Amino acid sequence: MSGGLLIAGTTSDAGKSVVTAGICRWLARQGVKVAPFKAQNMSLNSFVTREGAEIGRAQAMQAQAARVEPTALMNPVLLKPGGDRTSQVVLMGRPVGEMSARGFFGTAGPAERPSSAGASPGERLRGGHREALLATVLDCLAQLRGTYDAVICEGAGSPAEINLRRTDIVNMGVARNAGLPVLVVGDIDRGGVFASFFGTVALLSPEDQALVAGFLVNKFRGDVSLLEPGLDVLHGLTGRRSYGVLPFQHGLGIDEEDGLRVSLRGAVRESAVSSPVGADVLRVAVCAIPLMSNFTDVDALAAEPGVVVRFVDRAEELADADLVVVPGTRGTVKALAWLRERGLADAIARRAAEGRPVLGICGGYQLLGEHIEDEVESRAGQVDGLGLLPVRVRFAREKTLARPVGTALGERVEGYEIHHGVAEVTGGEAFMSDGEGHGLDGCRAGAVWGTHWHGSLESDGFRRAFLREVAAAAGRRFVPAADTSFAALREEQLDRLGDLIEEHADTDALWRLIESGAPRGLPFIPPGAPA
């Protein structure tokens, strides 16, 4: 078997990431060697692979669903919004510059397109030839297809974004060039799913329509028999069948791309808080700072019985919190100003003075320091930090991308680093060390902790030790559960996604689609779009 499939959606957040992960897990359980792929992702929620490449976290989780190691091949283009309508462009896991949306999605005229043969992907991008990135994307996909039995690709947004079709490298642009069949996912919970399915196909060119094999309904509530007449009519109108109806289930979201509305949506995040082991619960307030990145860092806290995690944007919401977390951000200086404008900076400073716990992660760690010198991200020069940690930060043009391992609070801890800021620690205690007393990262001063390491709270022993420290400082009779395994909860979540596909999708038809491609003779649905 050597096949592939592209999962498109009628809209953003229709469920493409979840369906892709579910199909990957279903295939992996059948003994198929499968890999995920997303040509271009726009997200502040990223991950570092073992070779030191930055990719979207959703693709890393899909790789886990497929039971393979994530690599840069699985997400060759990552756009990280930075405000002011610009994004950092990460190409094959490395940042290559900042670009406006107009510049990235625009194209040069014919006379402005000299040959890019022999140019690196970064040179092609800097030269303004975004369409030339398609060659890089297709090369990555070809490498994956040459290594794996099947590659399950995820699209972005909708394939019917006709304003962007000419330079598309993630939806039908990939499907056409790689000959991939396309399955369109629609979120019926939003309403209008039949019109969305029909309209998506009808706005594609005849050549694109020929690859759209059918539809998959997501988040259906109720009796499927009530939906079937509509699916039959849709089949008659489009000549394309339904490949399944997935029921609405809580807690099926994997690491999403962005947004507070999805940040507490996974199995360990959306389920009711389990009863505490000790006498008290522990309340965690996460500051919803601008351009927040890797908000999934707090998922492991929410996995603990008796820990209540919420996102806040007002100073009064910190009053009853036992721990305040300042998460990562793509705009450290902007986040610092936002905290001050909203009174959150003063509230955090009062907490620190009272010995009440505060944790800063990555950008959050940086803004807890004494000052920031930034000529890279915001170009604001030197800016005073909150002064809660004896740390001075200078932004370097080279981004740090690493997968460190060390010890903290007497426990082994792993993490990953994604930052331009270089921290000079001038006092306090090292947070992460090498186990022999040599500091690796971070700083602690009283009840204020800071670290660049994303994902460190997923290390179970360290998380429990940290929560014991927080509970003691907060005066809470909270006891962390001795048997909570974050990795096991993740696996359970991914298995539920595989179950969803296996139980509610037509897996025989999916298998034929992946192996043999789109059915021949699919009818054209007018009006279509220009080729």
Side-chain angles (χ1 to χ4, degrees):
M1 178 180 181
S2 179
L5 175 66
L6 188 138
I7 305 298
T10 55
T11 63
S12 294
D13 202 33
K16 297 184 293 292
S17 296
V18 166
V19 169
T20 300
I23 293 175
C24 284
R25 177 49 60 101
W26 162 63
L27 287 172
R29 292 196 303 209
Q30 308 306 309
V32 176
K33 190 178 179 184
V34 59
F37 177 76
K38 186 164 186 175
Q40 174 190 304
N41 200 347
M42 178 172 281
S43 178
L44 289 173
N45 204 16
S46 59
F47 182 76
V48 179
T49 66
R50 293 205 180 277
E51 75 266 33
E54 185 179 7
I55 65 172
R57 264 197 76 101
Q59 281 62 66
M61 289 300 297
Q62 289 162 356
Q64 186 177 347
R67 296 174 177 158
V68 298
E69 189 67 32
T71 73
L73 294 174
M74 297 172 184
N75 181 207
V77 182
L78 174 64
L79 306 179
K80 303 191 72 175
D84 300 321
R85 300 181 181 179
T86 63
S87 293
Q88 182 180 66
V89 182
V90 179
L91 198 57
M92 295 303 297
R94 296 288 174 179
V96 295
E98 299 278 336
M99 186 168 284
S100 69
R102 183 179 180 87
F104 189 79
F105 289 105
T107 55
E112 300 169 347
R113 295 178 185 161
S115 170
S116 59
S120 70
E123 288 168 341
R124 294 174 192 168
L125 181 66
R126 287 189 290 271
H129 306 291
R130 179 181 179 276
E131 65 276 17
L133 291 179
L134 183 60
T136 299
V137 164
L138 294 175
D139 179 63
C140 291
L141 179 55
Q143 289 186 57
L144 290 174
R145 295 184 78 178
T147 304
Y148 294 89
D149 299 328
V151 179
I152 308 303
C153 307
E154 179 187 345
S158 163
E161 291 169 351
I162 52 180
N163 55 318
L164 303 176
R165 176 62 184 92
R166 189 157 67 98
T167 55
D168 170 43
I169 63 169
V170 64
N171 290 307
M172 301 311 299
V174 168
R176 282 269 295 279
N177 281 277
L180 293 173
V182 177
L183 191 62
V184 180
V185 177
D187 179 357
I188 198 170
D189 199 45
R190 296 184 177 192
V193 74
F194 293 118
S196 297
F197 281 144
F198 183 89
T200 296
V201 178
L203 280 176
L204 300 179
S205 69
E207 294 83 358
D208 287 351
Q209 286 192 24
L211 293 173
V212 178
F215 312 107
L216 188 69
V217 177
N218 192 28
K219 300 182 187 175
F220 179 69
R221 305 172 189 254
D223 186 347
V224 175
S225 67
L226 298 176
L227 191 66
E228 289 172 348
L231 294 173
D232 291 340
V233 172
L234 184 66
H235 189 188
L237 290 171
T238 66
R240 290 159 174 84
R241 55 162 297 174
S242 166
Y243 282 76
V245 177
L246 308 184
F248 186 98
Q249 291 187 19
H250 289 284
L252 289 180
I254 62 170
D255 292 354
E256 305 281 356
E257 292 180 350
D258 283 303
L260 279 177
R261 61 190 175 86
V262 297
S263 59
L264 297 181
R265 218 170 65 175
V268 299
R269 291 163 272 174
E270 195 176 54
S271 57
V273 176
S274 302
S275 299
V277 175
D280 292 338
V281 299
L282 209 61
R283 296 172 177 83
V284 179
V286 184
C287 296
I289 57 180
L291 299 172
M292 182 169 55
S293 63
N294 289 71
F295 47 75
T296 48
D297 284 332
V298 300
D299 288 353
L301 295 178
E304 285 287 345
V307 176
V308 182
V309 178
R310 68 182 189 273
F311 286 83
V312 304
D313 60 4
R314 295 181 298 179
E316 55 268 30
E317 294 178 290
L318 302 187
D320 66 344
D322 301 306
L323 169 67
V324 169
V325 177
V326 188
T329 172
R330 242 290 268 158
T332 305
V333 170
K334 181 179 289 187
L336 187 56
W338 182 86
L339 289 170
R340 286 180 168 133
E341 289 166 3
R342 302 186 72 90
L344 285 158
D346 289 339
I348 292 170
R350 286 194 298 271
R351 288 183 62 87
E354 295 165 359
R356 301 174 66 196
V358 177
L359 170 65
I361 302 175
C362 200
Y365 164 43
Q366 295 167 6
L367 59 80
L368 293 177
E370 295 170 351
H371 69 250
I372 298 167
E373 185 180 333
D374 181 11
E375 298 293 348
V376 176
E377 191 174 77
S378 68
R379 297 181 176 85
Q382 186 163 310
V383 178
D384 289 336
L386 297 187
L388 305 182
L389 288 175
V391 175
R392 299 169 183 170
V393 176
R394 176 185 56 81
F395 273 65
R397 296 199 176 278
E398 188 72 21
K399 180 184 280 192
T400 296
L401 297 169
R403 289 276 295 271
V405 178
T407 63
L409 304 179
E411 299 286 346
R412 186 178 188 275
V413 59
E414 298 181 44
Y416 57 99
E417 295 184 65
I418 307 169
H419 55 92
H420 285 278
V422 178
E424 178 191 358
V425 179
T426 61
E429 308 171 35
F431 195 2
M432 310 296 181
S433 71
D434 62 2
E436 299 180 0
H438 302 107
L440 292 178
D441 179 77
C443 180
R444 176 182 182 178
V448 181
W449 293 267
T451 177
H452 275 128
W453 292 14
H454 293 291
S456 60
L457 293 167
E458 296 179 17
S459 298
D460 297 328
F462 164 68
R463 182 181 65 256
R464 294 182 193 121
F466 177 69
L467 289 177
R468 284 192 288 268
E469 294 254 352
V470 169
R476 295 287 185 188
R477 293 173 298 167
F478 169 84
V479 178
D483 58 353
T484 301
S485 168
F486 189 75
L489 287 169
R490 284 294 199 201
E491 278 298 303
E492 178 186 323
Q493 182 186 38
L494 294 170
D495 275 331
R496 290 179 65 203
L497 293 178
D499 293 343
L500 193 71
I501 297 299
E502 192 166 338
E503 295 169 9
H504 300 282
D506 186 337
T507 52
D508 289 339
L510 270 179
W511 189 279
R512 289 193 298 272
L513 195 61
I514 293 167
E515 193 172 33
S516 305
R520 294 181 179 275
L522 292 168
F524 170 69
I525 308 302

